[in-house]
Amino acid sequence: MMFTAPQATADRKAFYQRIDGENLAPLWEVLGELVPPTPRTPCVPALWRYSAVRKHLLESGTLITAKEAERRVLVLENPALRGAASITHTLYAGLQLILPGEIAPSHRHSQSALRFVVEGDGAYTAVDGERTTMHPGDFIITPSWTYHDHGNPSDVPVIWLDGLDIPIVAFLDAGFAERYPDEVQPVAKPEGDALARYGANLLPVNHKRTSLTTPIFSYPYTRTREALERIRRDEAWHPCHGLKMQYINPSSGGPAMPTIGAFIQLLPKAFDGRPYRSTDGTVYCAVEGRGRTRVGDATFEWEPKDVFVAPSWLPVTHQTDEDSVLFSFSDRPVQQALGLWRERVS
């Protein structure tokens, strides 16, 4: 069904002009744009070559410190949303750099954030008194309104992909932020405490959910990769996704974050997927392998560490030259909670 605007007669135009001064407008003139027959998004498919972005990111490290910048990040802006600091209508993404010896000061904010480590070992993220050492492929969460800081005691630069729900929080006018009194929050728990308590299909007997976000804030890639390999022995390959898993909250069985869904998928060598579309615009980061993904009319050749985005409802098709792993995140939990999410296999 397509809504079309009625003919604009002289009488109607005069009426529109009269009511305009009272901050009124006729719905019938814009109904087709407000209620389209299928999703419409100004976002476009795009790919960021890591090799190119990395050069700029390292150069930024010579121009400003992590402390001065608060967070030294190059924002991945959708080409159709320049200036909005958004990779889709609802999500923010950027690549963050922390150099040896640096500290990114502790703060907290309403926005939920994920970190997917792209390059370098030995930096850490601290969340509410617990630190986790960062390794490539690790998925790390800083939940809404939790103090977090980053440090790099290693001798190599460490870079990760940031994903936040900044546009969602901004749309709701619900953004707050606060600096911790000190540069670094005190360490109150041993490293690995959260994973030990909640990461083995066990919960403390007196556990009470106080947050919609998972109590595990670090999902090590070594465990994730091992799980994919074990499952592939018996699992039938999905015609679109290969073998795709979702990071979950073990205390609820739901998504790890209330506003952002995060996924990892294994695609075998010579995979030739069927087209798939869904209403959640999705950000991908290649972890292993090489291949190509067609998003709408655009085709992206990707290799490890490259980032690309597939906007809402555009058909997505993956092909691989070798065994490959893709990490991705989207606003699927929000859409599912509101009963809006839809998918289609072509």
Side-chain angles (χ1 to χ4, degrees), residues 241-254:
H241 309 308
L243 175 57
K244 188 170 184 177
M245 305 290 286
Q246 179 178 6
Y247 293 92
I248 68 160
N249 179 343
S251 68
S252 68

Side-chain angles (χ1 to χ4, degrees), residues 11 16 19 27 35 40 54 60 62 88-89 114 118 145 162 188 196 198 204-205 208 226 229 273 286 295 320 329:
D11 288 344
Y16 303 157
I19 66 173
L27 172 63
V35 188
R40 294 180 186 174
R54 184 180 187 273
S60 75
T62 69
T88 71
H89 256 160
L114 66 83
V118 174
W145 208 240
D162 282 329
Y198 307 104
V205 69
K208 294 181 180 180
E226 180 183 3
E229 281 300 320
V295 183
T320 60
F329 66 94

Side-chain angles (χ1 to χ4, degrees), residues 280-331:
D280 53 323
T282 303
V283 180
Y284 291 88
C285 180
V287 188
E288 300 178 30
R290 284 171 171 76
R292 67 206 55 81
T293 296
R294 184 173 179 82
V295 183
D297 294 328
T299 299
F300 302 127
E301 297 276 347
W302 45 259
E303 59 185 37
K305 304 179 179 66
D306 289 346
V307 178
F308 60 95
V309 61
S312 170
W313 210 240
L314 289 184
V316 176
T317 307
H318 301 297
Q319 297 176 324
T320 60
D321 300 323
E322 54 191 84
D323 276 10
S324 301
V325 177
L326 295 176
F327 169 80
S328 60
F329 66 94
S330 75
D331 65 358

Side-chain angles (χ1 to χ4, degrees), residues 86-290:
S86 299
I87 195 166
T88 71
H89 256 160
T90 56
L91 297 172
Y92 158 102
L95 285 167
Q96 181 166 172
L97 165 69
I98 187 165
L99 294 171
E102 286 191 320
I103 291 173
S106 184
H107 65 206
R108 64 179 178 176
H109 40 68
S110 304
Q111 297 82 358
S112 299
L114 66 83
R115 328 287 176 189
F116 187 76
V117 185
V118 174
E119 176 184 337
D121 281 282
Y124 68 81
T125 286
V127 177
D128 268 356
E130 182 181 343
R131 289 183 177 180
T132 185
T133 302
M134 307 174 86
H135 307 285
D138 288 356
F139 168 60
I140 298 170
I141 295 172
T142 56
S144 171
W145 208 240
T146 55
Y147 283 114
H148 55 279
D149 50 82
H150 312 292
N152 186 1
S154 79
D155 57 1
V156 296
V158 176
I159 299 172
W160 60 85
L161 174 66
D162 282 329
L164 287 88
D165 56 6
I166 290 174
I168 296 175
V169 175
F171 179 79
L172 297 172
D173 295 330
F176 293 88
E178 185 175 76
R179 287 288 296 272
Y180 192 76
D182 301 316
E183 190 174 60
V184 177
Q185 63 180 295
V187 175
K189 305 170 188 174
E191 182 165 345
D193 182 78
L195 191 62
R197 291 176 187 273
Y198 307 104
N201 295 319
L202 297 168
L203 287 175
V205 69
N206 59 347
H207 173 72
K208 294 181 180 180
R209 287 180 60 196
T210 58
S211 170
L212 295 176
T213 304
T214 172
I216 301 174
F217 72 96
S218 180
Y219 295 72
Y221 185 62
T222 52
R223 295 178 61 162
T224 301
R225 191 66 177 85
E226 180 183 3
L228 291 173
E229 281 300 320
R230 286 180 176 273
I231 297 170
R232 79 181 295 174
R233 300 172 188 171
D234 303 306
E235 186 76 6
W237 298 103
H238 188 279
C240 303
H241 309 308
L243 175 57
K244 188 170 184 177
M245 305 290 286
Q246 179 178 6
Y247 293 92
I248 68 160
N249 179 343
S251 68
S252 68
M257 307 170 72
T259 53
I260 305 175
F263 311 87
I264 197 85
Q265 65 191 112
L266 174 64
L267 303 170
K269 180 180 179 180
F271 183 76
D272 187 8
R274 291 175 56 186
Y276 171 84
R277 64 177 73 197
S278 61
T279 50
D280 53 323
T282 303
V283 180
Y284 291 88
C285 180
V287 188
E288 300 178 30
R290 284 171 171 76

